[in-house]
Amino acid sequence: MLEDELVHVLSTDLEIKRLFVVENRNSFRFVQKLKSENLKPFTFSSDRLYPIVLENNRRSSGRFVKLFSDIPILRQIYGSFNKKKQQELTVVVNLLRKDLHSDIDNLQYEVYLNAREMSQISDGILLFYGKCGYSPEKVRDDLHGLDCPVYFLRDDERNIVDDCVSVALGGNDVYKKTMLLGNGRGAIYATPMWLSSMNETDYKSTASYQNAKKYLSSPMYSLLFKINNQNCKDNNFDRNTSEFAKIFDMEIINTEGTMDVAINSYMKAKIDIYESME
């Protein structure tokens, strides 16, 4: 659901030396977006990719050098090596299905499963999820024993964001203030990815439509907050928003989005990982 934010973050990080994407049925559109930003990701299935990344890390890691970093004469050599390593950042992206949030238990299971696999090749993992109905404290505890630290998307107050809408708007406080604009009327919050199912040939035959129909048939839901972001380049967003609002008889309210949560969380995780390797 946050692939547009992730594409933007990766396209602005000039320190990425190698970008790998786990090839699965969720990755094709994401890879195309990366290429449109002049990025050149390597795509492999997970069973092929993980050994490649491990071998790549083994060649450039130099962790054995760290064993000698307490020896004064070698400390400067190690510092120079570590600085060079920071300039050779490897990023591995593993996209999960965007509809996992419809089943919280399944969402948590998939996050745990993939985090455990990724931890075997990673110095740190950033989960591109909000709370999404599960307890971040429980997730932190459950993932505490992994071989690398796990980071979460946080807003300016360092709170873990509620969900993808909070990420798109800029944090939990902005989310709450936006809710108040509805004056008690039920609202849906639209991003290009949230409405991407509208791109299907027959939207009304999709599972997304059936799920939306279950609760949007209630007259309580009458507002559609369209979260605009100049960094999202979905040419269908305007059309999809208008069509969705027409189908469910909703009033469109335009509001501005931001990439700040995604960018700041990514940079914080990256800096922490660098510092842990010094």
Side-chain angles (χ1 to χ4, degrees):
M1 192 66 77
L2 293 173
E3 70 177 38
D4 288 330
E5 285 81 357
L6 185 52
V7 168
H8 178 72
V9 166
L10 297 177
S11 67
T12 57
D13 188 351
L14 301 180
E15 291 187 338
I16 296 177
K17 181 71 173 180
R18 305 171 193 85
L19 175 57
F20 294 100
V21 177
V22 177
E23 186 177 39
N24 53 42
R25 63 179 182 175
N26 313 302
S27 63
F28 177 77
R29 176 179 53 202
F30 177 71
V31 169
Q32 293 305 113
K33 289 180 179 180
L34 291 175
K35 290 181 177 178
S36 72
E37 296 294 331
N38 297 316
L39 295 174
K40 299 177 180 179
F42 298 96
T43 59
F44 299 95
S45 59
S46 59
D47 60 329
R48 293 183 59 203
L49 187 150
Y50 293 159
I52 290 173
V53 175
L54 277 174
E55 180 61 24
N56 178 70
N57 287 346
R58 191 173 293 117
R59 289 175 180 173
S60 62
S61 100
R63 285 181 178 174
F64 67 92
V65 178
K66 194 169 184 178
L67 296 174
F68 302 101
S69 63
D70 291 331
I71 302 175
I73 196 171
L74 294 179
R75 188 174 297 134
Q76 185 175 0
I77 297 175
Y78 176 72
S80 299
F81 173 86
N82 216 34
K83 184 176 182 180
K84 180 179 179 182
K85 180 174 174 57
Q86 290 180 11
Q87 297 171 349
E88 296 183 350
L89 177 66
T90 297
V91 174
V92 181
V93 179
N94 184 10
L95 287 180
L96 306 185
R97 299 196 326 270
K98 74 185 183 78
D99 61 347
L100 282 175
H101 64 279
S102 61
D103 185 333
I104 300 303
D105 291 337
N106 191 34
L107 167 63
Q108 185 168 289
Y109 171 80
E110 290 291 335
V111 169
Y112 284 8
L113 175 65
N114 285 274
R116 291 191 180 100
E117 290 182 353
M118 294 285 286
S119 70
Q120 299 174 32
I121 62 169
S122 306
D123 292 307
I125 296 174
L126 173 59
L127 295 180
F128 255 67
Y129 281 99
K131 296 176 184 176
C132 299
Y134 60 82
S135 165
E137 292 78 14
K138 182 177 185 301
V139 174
R140 279 200 300 265
D141 292 342
D142 291 345
L143 297 180
H144 181 70
L146 296 185
D147 294 334
C148 68
V150 177
Y151 302 91
F152 298 83
L153 295 177
R154 296 178 182 271
D155 58 23
D156 288 343
E157 284 70 42
R158 301 302 300 150
N159 296 314
I160 297 176
V161 292
D162 290 334
D163 52 30
C164 60
V165 174
S166 182
V167 175
L169 288 171
N172 294 341
D173 285 346
V174 181
Y175 195 0
K176 293 174 184 176
K177 291 176 182 177
T178 304
M179 289 181 183
L180 296 177
L181 297 177
N183 294 319
R185 299 160 67 187
I188 294 295
Y189 302 83
T191 65
M193 278 304 300
W194 197 86
L195 289 180
S196 60
S197 296
M198 298 288 294
N199 296 327
E200 301 291 336
T201 302
D202 184 7
Y203 169 65
K204 289 189 176 181
S205 68
T206 65
S208 295
Y209 171 75
Q210 297 301 327
N211 290 332
K213 186 179 178 182
K214 290 178 182 178
Y215 54 90
L216 293 184
S217 58
S218 168
M220 181 185 83
Y221 287 96
S222 58
L223 299 178
L224 179 63
F225 282 95
K226 181 187 176 198
I227 306 175
N228 299 296
N229 192 315
Q230 62 181 357
N231 294 302
C232 290
K233 301 173 182 178
D234 189 331
N235 296 326
N236 297 318
F237 188 35
D238 291 341
R239 176 183 62 80
N240 288 345
T241 304
S242 297
E243 186 175 341
F244 188 92
K246 183 178 180 181
I247 291 173
F248 294 104
D249 191 23
M250 308 184 85
E251 175 189 351
I252 298 175
I253 297 179
N254 284 283
T255 185
E256 290 303 312
T258 176
M259 295 290 185
D260 288 354
V261 169
I263 292 173
N264 294 340
S265 298
Y266 174 86
M267 291 305 299
K268 179 66 167 61
K270 178 179 167 180
I271 291 170
D272 282 356
I273 291 170
Y274 281 171
E275 291 179 346
S276 69
M277 299 173 68
E278 292 180 352

